Amino acid sequence: MTASPRRTPVYRRPTPDDLPLAGAGLDSAAVRARLADADARTLLMSLTMLTRDAGHLERFAAVCDPANAETGAEAEADEIRDLLSVVLTDPAFVPDPAPMTVGLFQQMATAYVREPVDAEFVPLLLEQCGFDRLPGAPELPTPEKPQPPDGFHVAVIGAGLSGICAGIKLAEAGYSYRIYDRNKDVGGTWLTNVYPGVGVDTPSHFYSYSFEITSDWPEFYSKGAYVLDYLRRCADGHGLRDHTSFETEVLSCAYDEASTRWRITTRGPDGREATEWADAVVTAMGFFQGSVRPDIPGLADFAGPALHTADWDPDVDLSGKRVAMIGTGASAMQAGPAIVDEVAELAVFQRTPSWVMPRRKEDLTVPDGALWAMRHVPYYGEWFRFFTYWFASDGNFVRVVIDPDWTTPGSVSEPSEKMRQWLLDYAQEELADRPDLLARVIPAYPPFGKRILRDSNWYRMLRRDHVDLVTSPIERVVPGGVVTADGKETAADVLILATGYKVLPMLDGIEITGRSGVALTDVWGVDDPRAHLGLTVPGFPNLFVLGGPNSAPNHGAGVNITAETQVHYVLQCLALLHTHGARAIEPRQDVHDAYNDQVEKALEQRVWSHPSVRSYYQNSKGRVVVSNPWRLVDYWTMLRSPDPADHILG
């Protein structure tokens, strides 16, 4: 079998080979005008990378200084734009073809974010910000990937973000593979979630694959339809549909020790069951596995539509209706502001308030100049992606680590308290004229204890005259509304259940049996899953669980990094298998147990284990089973290459 060559990327990015820019409207003056709305800090990085002149970093340091956020260091920013417009259009300019040194890259990164960017981050940044595939960037060592044996076939369960990533990378490595998805199309949660206002609360320019970075996001936090379009284009551009069985549910996966293969039972769109075989199984079902409908007495008796945000019916007309929304989590915080102008009344039933991240700016539309720069200026999109990663991901990690000597209520450390005060100041500013609301929206738990949410005009929605925030517990639902414990009945024509998603049991709905017929449910129980590195389980050879136990980066953005990192590890495990001429690989039990002991000890010092916190990150006994206790860079480094001594190869 010949390995499949890398396809041309779906989303082409500008490189130094595209210079000089030429054509109608692309002289230096026109380019200078287009750069007016682009971010000066990021333009500085492009200029430095193209010219290899580190002197620019000191000369124009003011544009990166947060102290100049209001003024923008206009004189320096204008000079950067002047210089770069000439570089981009000058036919005599020739970019240095040699790879940039790691030292200069690190110096640039440190200047960009105005804080040390240690060497340990450099390999991750080069890969995850997309530099590794562009000329001029420092080169990364490429791991050896031996040719898969003829006929070695991989089954992937799920065609969402992780499953698409797995399919693309398996194809690149030369594997035969098939993806199974119960839906009619790719996209996973972005296909099935269509409630009003649905979108990312991770910065858009980071919510994409590092090998398919796009400049086409219309907003800094884009709506779900754009994310779905992105995933569809990636799937189509890499030919995944030809390898995907849609409307097909995987019922069971059973390991056959005699053949060292997995017997997979599926049910297709016609309702018929079929048996297929695979040498390895990759589950890519995501953390959320369907909606959770609350156990509220009388819910089934409600006379009007009762819509869960995860099962939204777009044909239900909310115009002029009295709406009762149960829940104040992520989907509620997006759906509520999206429908508030449409409904006659909106009653929001809150059990626990959420911490709300401030709006960075009123208009979250990406300026035309920034869009143009991402499409035409080499390295601009990659550096902008780095900036969003740095401050939306591992930059938050210090805020989730518990200081055992900290005693201030409501926080777990000095950085945690600073974060709490920042969030509190924002709430007080937004609700200055509504102290009655302010008292009800401030959580009692520390920031990041539960999922921290981005403000989509939530506070402003709560201030509206036709909106009521109800904090009295729900006692029951009646045909015409909701009755709370204080005896008050709130009339409603429509119920919106913004009550979250099933997380446990993991891999729910699939019967998985490993060696000696042992069921995974017997190992994990209903809600106590554990895995080596969040991916593999002793006794289940060649089974890889993407988004498995304790692998979620709950301190910040990073599900896309997690997906790529775990898929990389899967391919490295398979490479190890082939190198040793083996057919099966699984972690040793003692290695698995030791790793999970480390996870438990680390989680004791993370905010998700704080006594004031109760969340879907935890199981019924309070053990944190979702969150990864490490920084993204730590987890990324752990998964670079499997240690043969940690595994059983057979």
Side-chain angles (χ1 to χ4, degrees):
M1 180 187 297
T2 301
S4 300
R6 286 185 174 180
R7 288 175 178 259
T8 301
V10 175
Y11 294 95
R12 190 182 181 280
R13 290 179 273 156
T15 76
D17 294 339
D18 298 321
L19 302 181
L21 298 179
L26 286 179
D27 58 26
S28 61
V31 168
R32 172 63 179 81
R34 289 180 178 271
L35 295 179
D37 289 334
D39 180 68
R41 296 165 298 185
T42 312
L43 293 175
L44 172 60
M45 295 303 111
S46 292
L47 176 65
T48 303
M49 203 154 183
L50 286 168
T51 63
R52 308 295 169 81
D53 185 352
H56 290 320
L57 301 176
E58 182 175 353
R59 179 179 176 185
F60 300 116
V63 301
C64 298
D65 190 341
N68 298 324
E70 295 297 324
T71 65
E74 293 181 7
E76 292 85 352
D78 285 343
E79 190 172 356
I80 291 169
R81 294 184 175 101
D82 292 341
L83 290 171
L84 185 58
S85 62
V86 172
V87 166
L88 295 173
T89 57
D90 184 1
F93 174 74
V94 179
D96 190 331
M100 175 184 284
T101 65
V102 168
L104 178 56
F105 179 85
Q106 192 175 351
Q107 182 183 357
M108 292 175 64
T110 296
Y112 190 30
V113 297
R114 297 285 291 192
E115 59 185 70
V117 176
D118 295 336
E120 63 175 334
F121 284 97
V122 170
L124 178 147
L125 294 171
L126 291 174
E127 179 199 84
Q128 283 299 316
C129 296
F131 291 107
D132 62 325
R133 296 193 175 206
L134 291 180
E139 295 180 349
L140 283 173
T142 303
E144 186 176 346
K145 294 181 181 177
Q147 192 67 34
D150 287 340
F152 195 96
H153 181 72
V154 182
V156 179
I157 306 173
L161 184 146
S162 295
I164 293 171
C165 178
I168 292 172
K169 291 302 179 179
L170 284 165
E172 274 189 4
Y175 285 93
S176 165
Y177 72 96
R178 177 146 294 274
I179 302 173
Y180 302 91
D181 198 286
R182 61 188 176 186
N183 296 316
K184 294 182 178 181
D185 199 358
V186 300
T189 188
W190 297 107
L191 175 71
T192 58
N193 281 268
V194 294
Y195 62 82
V198 63
V200 294
D201 50 17
T202 296
S204 296
H205 294 88
F206 188 64
Y207 197 91
S208 59
Y209 303 122
S210 66
F211 51 87
E212 287 292 0
I213 294 176
T214 172
S215 60
D216 293 335
W217 300 114
E219 299 176 85
F220 290 110
Y221 295 89
S222 294
K223 297 296 184 287
Y226 289 100
V227 181
L228 178 60
D229 179 68
Y230 169 81
L231 292 174
R232 282 172 169 163
R233 289 185 64 181
C234 289
D236 291 341
H238 289 272
L240 263 63
R241 291 186 189 276
D242 293 340
H243 298 266
T244 303
S245 298
F246 293 110
E247 298 182 89
T248 299
E249 186 176 5
V250 176
L251 303 177
S252 66
C253 299
Y255 185 69
D256 181 75
E257 296 187 61
S259 63
T260 62
R261 304 192 80 202
W262 285 90
R263 183 176 64 253
I264 302 169
T265 303
T266 63
R267 181 190 294 130
D270 58 3
R272 296 182 181 179
E273 294 186 8
T275 299
E276 303 182 37
W277 292 85
D279 298 278
V281 173
V282 177
T283 68
M285 297 166 61
F287 293 108
F288 301 130
Q289 303 176 65
S291 58
V292 172
R293 297 183 75 86
D295 185 17
I296 301 175
L299 183 58
D301 300 327
F302 184 69
L307 310 172
H308 195 287
T309 50
D311 307 306
W312 192 263
D313 183 354
D315 292 331
V316 174
D317 185 8
L318 300 179
S319 301
K321 301 292 175 59
R322 298 169 300 178
V323 176
M325 183 168 69
I326 301 174
T328 54
S331 58
M333 204 158 285
Q334 293 180 340
I339 66 172
V340 69
D341 289 330
E342 184 179 357
V343 304
E345 298 176 9
L346 177 61
V348 180
F349 291 83
Q350 172 183 280
R351 184 174 60 179
T352 306
S354 298
W355 284 112
V356 179
M357 289 283 285
R359 292 177 65 89
R360 297 287 185 178
K361 56 197 306 187
E362 289 300 314
D363 184 5
L364 293 174
T365 302
V366 179
D368 289 341
L371 277 172
W372 188 88
M374 290 179 189
R375 292 169 178 165
H376 296 280
V377 179
Y379 308 120
Y380 184 95
E382 290 72 25
W383 279 105
F384 191 82
R385 179 177 168 102
F386 160 58
F387 194 83
T388 58
Y389 159 78
W390 192 257
F391 291 109
S393 294
D394 280 347
N396 286 320
F397 186 77
V398 66
R399 300 181 177 100
V400 304
V401 178
I402 296 174
D403 178 351
D405 297 323
W406 189 255
T407 58
T408 302
S411 57
V412 297
S413 66
E414 183 177 358
S416 172
E417 179 62 20
K418 288 181 179 178
M419 180 77 168
R420 181 178 177 276
Q421 289 300 325
W422 181 55
L423 300 175
L424 185 59
D425 288 347
Y426 179 66
Q428 291 171 334
E429 178 184 337
E430 289 286 298
L431 300 172
D433 59 345
R434 292 293 305 274
D436 59 313
L437 284 175
L438 183 62
R440 289 180 280 165
V441 300
I442 301 303
Y445 58 86
F448 287 102
K450 299 173 70 171
R451 183 175 177 180
I452 200 164
L453 305 176
R454 186 184 66 84
D455 188 15
S456 300
N457 284 329
W458 179 255
Y459 291 143
R460 298 178 190 187
M461 178 202 75
L462 292 178
R463 291 168 51 188
R464 301 285 290 273
D465 291 339
H466 65 301
V467 176
D468 184 23
L469 178 64
V470 183
T471 56
S472 180
I474 296 175
E475 184 177 273
R476 66 186 185 279
V477 172
V478 294
V482 180
V483 178
T484 47
D486 57 6
K488 179 181 177 181
E489 179 176 338
T490 300
D493 305 308
V494 179
L495 279 184
I496 295 177
L497 307 176
T499 48
Y501 304 82
K502 289 173 60 179
V503 174
L504 299 170
M506 286 188 178
L507 306 183
D508 190 31
I510 303 178
E511 183 182 350
I512 299 177
T513 54
R515 292 190 185 277
S516 305
V518 174
L520 188 58
T521 52
D522 291 338
V523 177
W524 281 358
V526 174
D527 65 354
D528 199 30
R530 302 169 194 263
H532 180 51
L533 298 174
L535 273 163
T536 57
V537 183
F540 294 82
N542 299 5
L543 174 69
F544 304 94
V545 184
L546 304 184
N550 296 114
S551 66
N554 292 139
H555 66 279
V559 66
N560 51 308
I561 285 189
T562 300
E564 288 191 42
T565 299
Q566 292 186 331
V567 168
H568 170 89
Y569 185 79
V570 171
L571 291 173
Q572 290 302 105
C573 283
L574 295 179
L576 179 63
L577 193 75
H578 307 324
T579 299
H580 285 74
R583 293 285 303 173
I585 183 171
E586 63 183 282
R588 286 171 27 199
Q589 185 70 54
D590 61 325
V591 171
H592 166 278
D593 294 348
Y595 172 77
N596 280 278
D597 286 345
Q598 292 177 344
V599 168
E600 293 297 305
K601 287 183 174 63
L603 285 171
E604 290 175 2
Q605 297 302 315
R606 303 294 179 263
V607 68
W608 313 299
S609 300
H610 192 268
S612 65
V613 174
R614 190 77 185 106
S615 73
Y616 70 80
Y617 300 161
Q618 302 166 330
N619 66 8
S620 59
K621 295 182 179 179
R623 187 176 80 83
V624 177
V625 296
V626 173
S627 307
N628 189 303
W630 325 117
R631 297 174 304 169
L632 283 167
V633 67
D634 298 324
Y635 192 56
W636 184 91
T637 303
M638 290 178 189
L639 270 61
R640 285 302 84 195
S641 180
D643 186 341
D646 291 344
H647 294 82
I648 299 172
L649 294 162

